[in-house]
Amino acid sequence: EAAARRRRRPLLGESGRLMIVAADHPARGALRVGADPLAMADRADLLERLCLALSRPGVDGVLGTADVLEDLLLLGALENKVVVGSMNRGGLAGAAFETDDRFTGYRAQDLAAASFDAGKLLLRVDYADAGTGSAATLLSAARAVDAMAAHRLPVFVEPFICRRDADGRLRSDLSAAAVIRSLTIASGLAGTSAYTWLKVPVTQDPEEMARVMAASTLPAVLLGGEVGDDQEGTYEKWRGALRLPTVQGLVAGRSLLYPADGDVVKAVDTAVGLL
C-alpha cells in the first residue's frame, strides 16, 4: 500500500544530474567501514543515517535491497525520490564463490510491481576463474538487463575486472585498461542497451578518466567507493570525473553515510556540491 501511494518523480530532475545514496552493502555481508568490520551492522543506525542523507537538498534517491527500501518506504523517506533496487547480492564478500554473483535480490517484475524507478547489478569478471562464477554472472546479468528493458526500467550496471591476490581475496583492478575493458563488456550485454546505465569507479590515476569514459556512449554515474582519511582528495577525484560528457551523477554509500569525521550532513552536502 505504501509503495502504491508513494509520490514518484522522473529519474533525472531539472538539473539533469543524479545524486544517489547507496545502502546495499549489508546484503552481501559487506559491513566494514574503515577499521570497523561491523560498522553497518546496526540497522536502526543505518536507517537514521539514510533518512538524514535523503533529507538533504540535492539528494535524488537511494539504492538498496528490499529490507532497507521497505523500511525507508514505511518511514516515508522515499517520497519524490528515485528508488533503485539492488538485484544481485549472492557473491558474498570474502566467499570462494564471490564472482558467482547470483541474483538473490530484486527481479525486474518486483521493481515494476513496487513502482520503483530503476535497478542495479554488480558484474565482476575474473579472467582466471576456471569455474562457472564469472561466466554464470555474465549470462545472468545479460538476462536481467533484458528483463529490465522489457519493463522499460533503467538498470545501472557496475562492472569490474577482478583477480585473486596472494591471500585468495578478490581485488578489483582499477587501472585504466581494466576499467575500459569492463565498460565495453557491460555496454554489450543483452539484446538492447536502451535502458542501460554504467556505474563506474574512478581509476587509480584520475587523469585517465577521460580516456576511460570514451569507451562507451552510455550514460554513467560515478561509483563513490570507500574513502580513507583523505576525504578532500577523494572529492577532488570525483570533481574532475563529473565534468566528463557522459557522466550524469554520483552513487556513493559508505563514504557519505560513515565519513571519517562522522559528519553525514557535511559529507552529503559536499558531494551534492560537486554536481
Side-chain angles (χ1 to χ4, degrees):
E1 291 171 359
R5 64 174 179 261
R6 181 179 73 91
R7 295 191 305 276
R8 299 183 65 183
R9 48 153 280 178
L11 183 68
L12 291 177
E14 292 181 4
S15 69
R17 307 287 265 173
L18 266 179
M19 176 69 225
I20 302 292
V21 179
D24 61 341
H25 312 82
R28 206 171 59 79
L31 302 171
R32 177 181 293 277
V33 179
D36 185 352
L38 295 175
M40 300 187 76
D42 186 325
R43 183 52 55 90
D45 177 63
L46 173 59
L47 290 169
E48 186 174 2
R49 290 168 185 266
L50 281 167
C51 287
L52 180 57
L54 286 165
S55 73
R56 301 305 299 164
V59 174
D60 294 290
V62 62
L63 160 64
T65 46
D67 56 325
V68 173
L69 294 184
E70 288 170 359
D71 279 348
L72 292 173
L73 184 66
L74 294 173
L75 288 166
L78 301 184
E79 298 300 309
N80 290 313
K81 297 295 182 184
V82 172
V83 183
V84 184
S86 191
M87 303 178 76
N88 62 328
R89 300 277 83 188
L92 303 183
F97 53 86
E98 193 167 350
T99 58
D100 189 355
D101 216 336
R102 303 197 180 205
F103 283 71
T104 57
Y106 278 108
R107 301 167 299 172
Q109 60 262 44
D110 301 323
L111 294 168
S115 297
F116 287 164
D117 305 296
K120 171 257 181 178
L121 62 91
L122 181 60
L123 178 65
R124 292 173 296 179
V125 178
D126 181 355
Y127 276 68
D129 182 357
T132 61
S134 294
T137 301
L138 274 165
L139 179 60
S140 298
R143 297 294 78 85
V145 174
D146 281 329
M148 291 293 284
H151 285 280
R152 298 179 176 239
L153 284 170
V155 59
F156 294 83
V157 181
E158 180 182 341
F160 292 97
I161 302 298
C162 299
R163 59 175 56 89
R164 298 278 179 182
D165 65 15
D167 296 323
R169 289 174 295 188
L170 195 66
R171 301 292 190 186
S172 298
D173 186 344
L174 296 183
S175 68
V179 178
I180 287 171
R181 190 174 294 114
S182 73
L183 297 190
T184 60
I185 292 167
S187 298
L189 289 175
T192 179
S193 64
Y195 295 88
T196 303
W197 287 60
L198 299 174
K199 188 166 176 266
V200 186
V202 177
T203 48
Q204 289 169 340
D205 180 359
E207 299 299 320
E208 297 271 21
M209 283 301 291
R211 185 162 70 97
V212 166
M213 297 312 303
S216 177
T217 56
L218 293 179
V221 290
L222 294 184
L223 162 65
E226 284 200 68
V227 173
D229 295 331
D230 185 14
Q231 282 181 275
E232 293 305 318
T234 299
Y235 294 146
E236 191 57 39
K237 291 179 183 178
W238 293 350
R239 182 179 287 109
L242 284 165
R243 297 191 185 108
L244 298 171
T246 58
V247 178
Q248 305 282 88
L250 176 67
V251 178
R254 289 171 289 188
S255 55
L256 302 184
L257 296 173
Y258 299 88
D261 62 5
D263 192 338
V264 175
V265 169
K266 178 184 172 186
V268 171
D269 289 353
T270 301
V272 170
L274 299 177
L275 299 177

